[in-house]
């Protein structure tokens, strides 16, 4: 066989260990690392559990609760006694991609409701989300301009009396973050006081209306018998590509001036979504590549920013392939971002295809949402869209909106998601609720450090996204050489697990993964095991221990509810991975007949 064909065969049958070297952080003097880092090594085996059941009453389920730790055995004699054997290839051959982390998205709704909190309560919220004794989230997205989770609609250069009344601004002389963009930048800068090693990437829902073929930031909603009318002109006017390059460059620099470093950028949220009712825009793959090639790639490279192609569902993998093909030779650091909304289920195996074609390209699951959750229902949406992407090469994942009011807002009055739930619901200036998603995300973000390495699980997984029940497993080795093994047990029985790490012969970790839970095992490094045999008491310094339940705010200014989502009506139906609109009455989009008379003056 010719050497070139042999090389192609090798590349086609092996996964790749993508590196995160060179990725930046958003800034701030907050703590870095956490459990599993060199400063906080895992000193004995532990287990943490969150039930899939959304609680109907406070403290009625396990929420990041400490469970029975796995026990180290030097015999596998029990492996055949009805127990589930889990084998992780911990050898160099099993090494896969490096990890960045897990998190959420900053939206205008989140910034708005957080800014209503008393200062000491906001401090507690930020500790809960980003502190080392909280969820310690390290992979964060933010909206560039408004989205459907914005009470006010805007871009950074509307250049007119309203978001749909702008005139061309070819020199971008009227570019401004405005009050909402400034408020977001300041809130994100505050995040850096709690965690100093966050990877932050931005995504626009639409470019300014005057850059589009329909001249509108938000297109009208036109319904037909087959659904919403496809608005083909709700798309980028390619003659404004030079202005788009400048728009992104000005945004990056404006955030930097407010103390926030942008680390990654997608050029359009859901570029194949061009509906009306909230900011959307069709962006062809060739046009996305052209924006990079016509100046933005050089600007990103100069600023050390990762370009993240696509940012949409797994059913159109040819789109990111076309973009990566189109920017070949640009020199910009590149990645691909995926969403979870493909029906009937996302197909994360397409990440393998990108890795085979572009071995050094990082990949991420950049958006998934929990929609109208119901107390008393079971929801594994977070784990179902965190573990499989990692199994197929993703270096991180982020859920959609992080914080809302009890009515899932503020959100666009004209359309979009009116039932998307995040991790925090702000009930008043002194109280907030940590939802079921908060604890589910914590099963990942608290225990997987930046720089951890994902390893291949050879045996133990069961089911897939189209089956009724699954057991999903991911295993990463953290920088302290300890292991975080995360199980999603959506089976109807407890699993008696015998875990084997192939590079550690003669060691078997045995324990119970309870039914209908996400369970995280922490396994000490070989160095620690050599000192303690895994029996040393847990450190009581942060990030230990993890609390559960309601707590009185230390200043006495109110009750901080640390339970699952309890203000959502139990009569709502629950779905976990759709961002569809609710049946709520929406207002007509204003000024949709606006046209630009001098549109050829760019």
């Amino acid at each position: 066989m010719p050497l070139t064909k042999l090389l192609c065969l090798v590349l086609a049958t092996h996964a790749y260990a993508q590196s995160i070297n060179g990725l930046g952080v958003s800034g701030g003097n907050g703590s870095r690392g956490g459990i599993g880092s060199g400063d906080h090594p895992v000193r004995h085996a532990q287990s943490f559990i969150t039930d899939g059941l959304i609680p109907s009453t406070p403290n009625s389920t396990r929420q990041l609760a400490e469970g029975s730790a796995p026990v180290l055995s030097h015999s596998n004699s029990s492996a055949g006694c009805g127990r589930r054997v889990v084998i992780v290839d911990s050898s160099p051959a099993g090494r896969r991609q490096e990890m960045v982390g897990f998190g959420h998205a900053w939206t205008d709704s989140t910034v708005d409701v957080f800014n209503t909190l008393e200062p000491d309560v906001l401090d507690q919220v930020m500790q809960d989300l980003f502190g080392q004794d909280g969820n310690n989230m390290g992979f964060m997205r933010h909206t560039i301009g408004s989205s459907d989770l914005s009470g006010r609609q805007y871009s950074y250069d509307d250049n007119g009396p309203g978001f749909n009344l702008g005139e061309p601004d070819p020199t971008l002389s009227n570019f401004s973050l405005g009050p909402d963009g400034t408020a977001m930048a300041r809130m994100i800068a505050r995040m850096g006081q709690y965690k100093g090693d966050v990877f932050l990437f931005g995504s626009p829902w639409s470019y300014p209306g005057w850059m589009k073929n329909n001249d509108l930031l938000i297109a009208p909603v036109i319904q037909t018998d087959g659904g919403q009318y496809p608005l083909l002109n709700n798309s980028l006017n390619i003659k404004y590509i030079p202005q788009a390059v400048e728009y992104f460059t000005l945004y990056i620099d404006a955030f930097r001036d407010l103390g926030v470093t942008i680390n990654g950028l997608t050029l359009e949220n859901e570029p194949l979504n061009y509906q009306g009712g909230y900011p959307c825009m069709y962006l062809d793959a060739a046009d996305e590549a052209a924006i990079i090639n016509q100046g933005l790639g050089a600007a990103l490279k100069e600023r050390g920013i990762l370009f993240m192609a696509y940012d949409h569902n797994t059913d159109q993998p040819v789109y990111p392939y076309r973009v990566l093909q189109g920017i070949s030779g640009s020199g910009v650091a590149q990645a691909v971002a995926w969403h979870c909304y493909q029906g009937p289920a996302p197909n994360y195996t397409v990440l393998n295809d990108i890795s085979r074609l572009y071995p050094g390209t990082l990949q991420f699951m950049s958006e998934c949402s929990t929609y109208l959750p119901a107390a008393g229902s079971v929801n594994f949406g977070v784990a179902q869209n965190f573990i499989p992407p990692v199994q197929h090469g993703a270096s991180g994942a982020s859920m959609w909106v992080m914080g809302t009011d009890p009515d899932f807002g503020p959100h666009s009055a004209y359309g979009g998601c009116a039932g998307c739930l995040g991790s925090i619901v702000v009930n008043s200036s002194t109280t907030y609720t940590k939802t079921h998603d908060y604890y589910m995300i914590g099963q990942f973000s608290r225990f997987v450090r930046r720089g951890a390495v994902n390893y291949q699980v050879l045996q133990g997984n069961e089911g897939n996204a189209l089956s009724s029940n699954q057991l999903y497993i991911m295993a990463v080795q953290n920088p302290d050489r300890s292991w975080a093994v995360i199980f999603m047990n959506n089976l109807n029985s407890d699993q008696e697990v015998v875990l084997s790490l192939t590079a550690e012969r003669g060691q078997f970790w045995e324990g119970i993964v309870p039914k209908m839970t996400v369970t995280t095992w922490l396994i000490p490094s070989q160095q620690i095991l050599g000192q303690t045999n895994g029996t040393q008491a847990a450190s009581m310094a942060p990030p230990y221990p993890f609390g559960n339940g309601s707590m009185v705010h230390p200043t006495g200014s109110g009750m901080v509810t640390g339970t699952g989502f309890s203000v959502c009506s139990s009569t709502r139906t629950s779905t976990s991975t759709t961002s569809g609109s609710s049946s709520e009455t929406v207002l007509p989009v204003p000024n949709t007949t606006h046209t630009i008379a001098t549109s050829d003056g760019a």
Side-chain angles (χ1 to χ4, degrees), residues 71-284:
V71 176
L72 177 61
S73 170
H74 295 283
S75 169
N76 65 350
S77 59
S78 62
C81 303
R83 299 189 177 189
R84 180 174 294 271
V85 176
V86 175
I87 302 175
V88 177
D89 185 354
S90 58
S91 73
R95 181 185 174 99
R96 296 296 182 255
Q97 75 278 14
E98 294 180 354
M99 301 299 297
V100 176
F102 299 90
H104 252 303
W106 286 105
T107 64
D108 289 318
S109 65
T110 303
V111 175
D112 283 353
V113 297
F114 282 12
N115 275 328
T116 68
L117 292 168
E118 295 293 332
D120 52 350
V121 182
L122 175 58
D123 174 71
Q124 185 61 55
V125 169
M126 299 294 271
Q127 292 281 5
D128 284 341
L129 293 169
F130 303 107
Q132 290 197 9
D133 54 352
N135 268 2
N136 202 7
M137 295 189 298
F139 181 69
M140 295 294 298
R141 189 185 192 209
H142 90 93
T143 55
I144 300 172
S146 64
S147 71
D148 49 330
L149 267 295
S150 299
R152 296 168 296 279
Q153 298 300 319
Y154 67 98
S155 74
Y156 294 156
D157 193 352
D158 288 330
N159 197 36
F163 59 80
N164 270 354
L165 293 172
E167 296 295 322
D169 183 15
T171 64
L172 277 86
S173 58
N174 289 309
F175 178 93
S176 171
L177 296 181
D180 292 291
T182 300
M184 176 167 289
R186 288 176 174 163
M187 185 64 74
I188 294 174
R190 185 182 183 112
M191 172 183 71
Q193 300 173 19
Y194 300 84
K195 184 170 177 63
D197 57 351
V198 173
F199 179 91
L200 175 72
F201 67 104
S203 303
W205 264 235
S206 174
Y207 297 7
W210 56 266
M211 290 189 190
K212 298 164 66 176
N213 287 310
N214 62 355
D215 306 327
L216 303 173
L217 179 74
I218 302 180
V221 177
I222 303 175
Q223 295 288 353
T224 69
D225 291 340
Q228 191 175 148
Y229 186 81
L231 304 168
L232 300 180
N233 67 347
N234 191 20
S235 56
L236 174 67
N237 185 336
I238 61 174
K239 74 179 180 181
Y240 288 116
I241 284 178
Q243 284 73 26
V245 170
E246 183 67 8
Y247 183 80
F248 283 115
T249 305
L250 289 171
Y251 138 72
I252 292 164
D253 293 346
F255 266 62
R256 178 199 59 203
D257 293 343
L258 292 173
V260 176
T261 300
I262 302 300
N263 311 124
L265 177 68
T266 77
L267 298 195
E268 175 62 23
N269 169 72
E270 299 185 348
L272 302 178
N273 176 8
Y274 39 89
Q275 64 180 293
Y278 66 99
C280 294
M281 187 186 80
Y282 175 80
L283 182 65
D284 190 81

Side-chain angles (χ1 to χ4, degrees), residues 299-319:
L300 298 182
K301 184 177 180 181
E302 178 185 354
R303 291 162 176 79
I305 296 172
L306 181 70
F307 165 58
M308 304 164 69
Y310 191 39
D311 206 14
H312 208 165
N313 294 336
T314 57
D315 56 351
Q316 297 293 329
V318 71
Y319 186 108

